[in-house]
Amino acid sequence: MRLSHVAAAMLAASLLAAPAHAEPTIADGWTLEALTGPSPFHGIHGLTVTPEGRLLAGSVVGATLYEIDRETGAVTVAEAAPDGMADDVEQGPDGTIAWTAFLQGKVFARTPAGDLLTLAEGLPGTNSIAWTDDGRLFMTQVFAGDALWELDPTGKDAPRLIMKDMGGLNGFDFGPDGHLYGPIWFKSQIARVNVDAGTLEVIADGFQTPAAVNFNSKNELYAVDTQAGEVIRVDVASGAKTIVAQVKPAIDNLAFAPDDTLYISNMADNAIIEVDVETGASTALVSGPLAVAADIAMGPDGKTLYVADVFAIRSIDTQTGDVTEIARVFAQEMDYPTSMAVAHNKFAVAGLTAGAVQLFDGPTGKSIDLMHGFTTPTEALPLEDGGILVTEYARGAIVRVNPDNHEDRITLADKLDGPAMMQQGPDSAIYFSETKGGRISRLTDSGGVETVIDDLANPEGFTFLANGGMAIVEAAKQQITMVTPEGDRVTVASGLPFGVIPEEGPEVFMPTGVAEDGEGNLYFSSEVLAQVFRLNRAE
């Protein structure tokens, strides 16, 4: 992860708040089916292979530590949410497994006896972790901090600060000389650190965005470049670099098994990939069609569904279920997208806590503009004149972006109660959900705000229907409610697998979207299962 992309980690709060899901209840005249296949993770980050051959991998947004069968790719939970949140993980020489809970600012450890220890807390951005052969443990803060610490593996003594302001010392490993080697994220370098002297020297540079390094059993140093999508062998003495494999961007970490099989993680593909460093061949051990599945919107053809997939932007052919990638983080300049709006031959996404809004050309999928400086933008809606409307959730405001100067922004409404998703209605008025306020509201011609539908349970996504009604996601009730043109309310489905807004903690959430196709079927996203589902309307 990187600083402008802390949004993805912050959204873990909504997944942790999601209640357990029973079998959905579907109204008469409707059937439920999965449009996309399941995904094993919610973005995947740090990984390690223990001396016994256990492949462990961590998810921040999913707040879970997983174990993956290296033969079959089967995924099981090693440490459940919330304590399983892991940006990096490694096993010590005595069998203790330690991992960094990035969002919580903590470091946890599970001893061979089964005890769960808290080794550090109150350190925002706990990121990378590594043991020495004699059982010392080291951790860095990155993105929400910039420091290297030594931790007491028993959790009794407070962390010891070694150095700070290094430039983002990310996924690191100890070398045969006893020094720590790792990438300096913001300086595109790889450095060697003497943890006892507190000194750092650069041994290689010229990377795009180096994310992690690891030594194999031959004491050869390998690195992954997340932006370039490269696996690179680095000569420690000379700094010379040799590209040994090329995959898609968004690699986050790497780990060697005892037999020197190399595994890398790719957060955009929800994938753990096996790499042959001799031939460059790469094979996905496990992957998923979607990474998280946040907000969705139907395209103008009534059959192409667009998905803000947090680590990528994707489209789904609703007739075949085929998923097509439009853009992904690190391959393009893009912040983690959590919302999706399609209008006037354009589509726009927002990166909620990154404060980012990005506009794309609909026919080509090419980025038109990437804007920053918004306060928790929950939705960005393209307008016919080229302007953009943005809901700012925490500020309780709707902002209009000038079509001729995107730095020129005017607040149209404020003092709103959690403004979230937006739609332009059949009457051309702008409608929006106030999630905390429990209502759908509308901007009036006079510049005011009026309530259209109230007494809703955390409304998130909504859409206007061809019959003149409206479908609304009520997140707190885990249901989709249809409001008829006459104003009657009908529960289409309940007990659905999407989350709720946390009552405490940061004011962020993973929006659930709803959309209608040309045949009157409804679609909704599930951030809990990282899937998109269809509610088929009976003929």
Side-chain angles (χ1 to χ4, degrees):
M1 279 177 279
R2 54 182 171 176
L3 183 60
S4 61
H5 290 175
V6 173
M10 297 294 288
L11 291 168
S14 65
L15 292 182
L16 299 186
H21 298 283
E23 282 296 315
T25 300
I26 312 301
D28 291 341
W30 296 88
T31 59
L32 176 66
E33 67 173 327
L35 181 64
T36 62
S39 289
F41 315 115
H42 294 85
I44 200 68
H45 305 293
L47 67 163
T48 191
V49 184
T50 70
E52 301 79 24
R54 297 177 65 201
L55 175 56
L56 302 175
S59 174
V60 172
V61 176
T64 302
L65 183 62
Y66 301 93
E67 181 170 352
I68 301 91
D69 188 303
R70 295 171 55 205
E71 297 297 326
T72 66
V75 178
T76 55
V77 173
E79 292 285 346
D83 295 337
M85 177 189 293
D87 201 18
D88 199 9
V89 56
E90 188 166 323
Q91 181 171 300
D94 71 346
T96 296
I97 296 172
W99 62 93
T100 53
F102 178 89
L103 174 60
Q104 299 177 42
K106 296 181 179 181
V107 177
F108 292 108
R110 180 73 71 179
T111 69
D115 297 324
L116 180 66
L117 307 177
T118 300
L119 306 186
E121 55 187 328
L123 297 174
T126 52
N127 191 288
S128 300
I129 198 163
W131 298 81
T132 62
D133 289 341
D134 58 357
R136 296 172 69 187
L137 182 61
F138 295 82
M139 175 275 295
T140 51
Q141 294 170 273
V142 187
F143 311 122
D146 190 359
L148 172 64
W149 301 82
E150 182 171 6
L151 307 181
D152 176 8
T154 70
K156 296 177 181 178
D157 294 333
R160 178 179 71 90
L161 177 64
I162 296 173
M163 58 194 311
K164 59 182 181 178
D165 300 328
M166 299 159 289
L169 179 59
N170 213 319
F172 49 74
D173 194 18
F174 279 92
D177 58 1
H179 294 320
L180 184 152
Y181 292 76
I184 307 299
W185 181 284
F186 295 107
K187 297 181 180 179
S188 303
Q189 301 167 334
I190 290 178
R192 174 170 48 225
V193 177
N194 184 321
V195 296
D196 292 317
T199 58
L200 180 151
E201 60 177 319
V202 175
I203 65 165
D205 57 17
F207 299 89
Q208 292 188 45
T209 307
V213 304
N214 212 251
F215 285 91
N216 65 7
S217 67
K218 301 174 185 177
N219 292 326
E220 297 171 323
L221 183 65
Y222 285 78
V224 290
D225 191 315
T226 187
Q227 186 173 344
E230 295 172 346
V231 179
I232 304 164
R233 185 168 53 247
V234 181
D235 187 291
V236 172
S238 68
K241 305 189 293 291
T242 303
I243 299 172
V244 299
Q246 179 78 55
V247 299
K248 290 183 178 181
I251 310 171
D252 201 347
N253 216 308
L254 76 166
F256 282 100
D259 62 1
D260 275 345
T261 299
L262 177 62
Y263 298 93
I264 63 175
S265 61
N266 189 298
M267 48 193 160
D269 294 321
N270 256 352
I272 295 177
I273 302 166
E274 185 176 317
V275 176
D276 187 325
V277 297
E278 299 300 326
T279 67
S282 59
T283 304
L285 176 63
V286 58
S287 64
L290 297 177
V292 177
D295 191 27
I296 59 174
M298 185 61 66
D301 62 2
K303 61 182 182 181
T304 302
L305 195 66
Y306 292 86
V307 184
D309 202 21
V310 179
F311 300 97
I313 296 170
R314 296 184 162 101
S315 65
I316 305 174
D317 185 326
T318 58
Q319 297 181 333
T320 65
D322 292 339
V323 178
T324 301
E325 182 178 297
I326 297 172
R328 70 167 54 205
V329 296
F330 299 107
Q332 294 88 12
E333 185 181 9
M334 185 175 74
D335 284 298
Y336 289 134
T338 54
S339 72
M340 173 65 67
V342 178
H344 307 296
N345 291 316
K346 299 181 180 70
F347 64 89
V349 299
L352 197 146
T353 58
V357 166
Q358 191 161 11
L359 187 66
F360 292 82
D361 177 70
T364 65
K366 300 296 184 182
S367 176
I368 297 172
D369 198 3
L370 174 60
M371 298 158 273
H372 290 89
F374 298 93
T375 304
T376 56
T378 329
E379 179 92 283
L381 179 66
L383 301 175
E384 188 173 9
D385 66 358
I388 305 169
L389 290 183
V390 180
T391 48
E392 294 187 314
Y393 184 85
R395 195 166 76 90
I398 295 179
V399 175
R400 175 181 166 84
V401 179
N402 189 324
D404 300 318
N405 178 9
H406 285 176
E407 295 301 315
D408 182 11
R409 303 166 189 179
I410 300 172
T411 298
L412 299 183
D414 59 9
K415 298 180 181 179
L416 305 174
D417 205 358
M421 320 317 290
M422 279 188 293
Q423 292 275 333
Q424 189 164 15
D427 58 356
S428 296
I430 301 300
Y431 293 74
F432 56 95
S433 57
E434 291 186 74
T435 298
K436 294 170 65 177
R439 55 186 171 263
I440 303 294
S441 301
R442 173 174 56 199
L443 293 178
T444 66
D445 292 338
S446 62
V449 174
E450 64 180 6
T451 298
V452 178
I453 303 169
D454 59 8
D455 295 325
L456 298 168
N458 291 127
E460 294 182 4
F462 65 97
T463 189
F464 290 95
L465 304 176
N467 66 5
M470 184 184 292
I472 305 169
V473 170
E474 292 193 77
K477 289 185 177 179
Q478 303 167 244
Q479 73 180 33
I480 293 177
T481 300
M482 182 180 293
V483 180
T484 69
E486 296 76 27
D488 297 325
R489 301 189 189 189
V490 178
T491 300
V492 178
S494 60
L496 298 175
F498 43 71
V500 299
I501 294 185
E503 295 182 359
E504 298 180 358
E507 287 195 341
V508 296
F509 67 101
M510 189 78 72
T512 296
V514 62
E516 183 185 39
D517 67 16
E519 298 177 353
N521 304 309
L522 293 177
Y523 300 80
F524 67 89
S525 53
S526 168
E527 84 280 30
V528 174
L529 299 179
Q531 287 180 271
V532 172
F533 291 84
R534 176 166 51 207
L535 285 160
N536 296 294
R537 186 191 293 268
E539 297 181 358

